[in-house]
Amino acid sequence: EAAVTQSPRNKVAVTGGKVTLSCNQTNNHNNMYWYRQDTGHGLRLIHYSYGAGSTEKGDIPDGYKASRPSQENFSLILELATPSQTSVYFCASGDAGHNTGQLYFGEGSKLTVL
Amino acid sequence: GEQVEQRPPHLSVREGDSAFITCTYTDPNSYYFFWYKQEPGASLQLLMKVFSSTEINEGQGFTVLLNKKDKRLSLNLTAAHPGDSAAYFCAVSVPGTGSNRLTFGKGTKFSLIP
């Protein structure tokens, strides 16, 4: 049973449009993360959250917003999508209590901005 | 912040041969180390989690070596088989941040020579 689920799995958007990527986790983890994966760059952290109501900037936050309305849900928002944001986006959750750093990843969301 | 360099970006070997993937990191306080495997079109799956107190960890068909003095983490695929074809990512975590925040290498795309 998938513990971290993302939607949509595939999305085509137009330049300047708004895109929302959603993530739901049933691990009861405090921490959640949004990464993007691009060839030659590996995974880069966009935003993360320590719990409901909190969002923090990662390494590449420009052009993205995040929202954590509940323990289970963490959204990534592109208010004005650009072609440079074409990528595969991964959501992950982690247990802050153990503080081991292990993350559990969703299946990924492929975004194409035309 | 932490910097992680992973080499090589691409690696091909014959079935049954061994293969090495290496990551170097910069933060001497790094304590948790991870190898993730990503099959084409799929999410990241944890291959092995290594703590800094253990230098050699063995899994099924692979060995992970940690050299804290040189700040180097290595993955040795001992006898490559078709199921090993995938991308491999190392990741490093610094304790005490409370965020499970991982810094990833850029990945190694591994395949078998037909």
Side-chain angles (χ1 to χ4, degrees), chain B residues 2 7 16 18 34 45 53 63-64 77 79 82-83 86 98 102-103 113:
Chain B
E2 176 75 271
R7 290 283 185 268
S18 64
F34 304 84
Q45 300 296 325
S53 58
T63 301
V64 172
L77 302 174
L102 296 186
T103 301
I113 299 171

Side-chain angles (χ1 to χ4, degrees), chain A residues 31 33 37 59 102-103 106, chain B residues 36 38 43 49 99-101:
Chain A
N31 298 339
Y33 305 80
Q37 183 178 33
D59 298 320
Q102 183 174 347
L103 298 185
Chain B
Y36 282 89
Q38 185 183 34
S43 185
K49 177 170 60 180
S99 71
N100 311 80
R101 185 167 173 167

Side-chain angles (χ1 to χ4, degrees), chain B residues 43-62:
Chain B
S43 185
L44 285 85
Q45 300 296 325
L46 182 68
L47 194 63
M48 180 163 279
K49 177 170 60 180
V50 179
F51 301 133
S52 67
S53 58
T54 307
E55 293 185 341
I56 300 175
N57 291 265
E58 295 186 359
Q60 191 169 3
F62 60 90

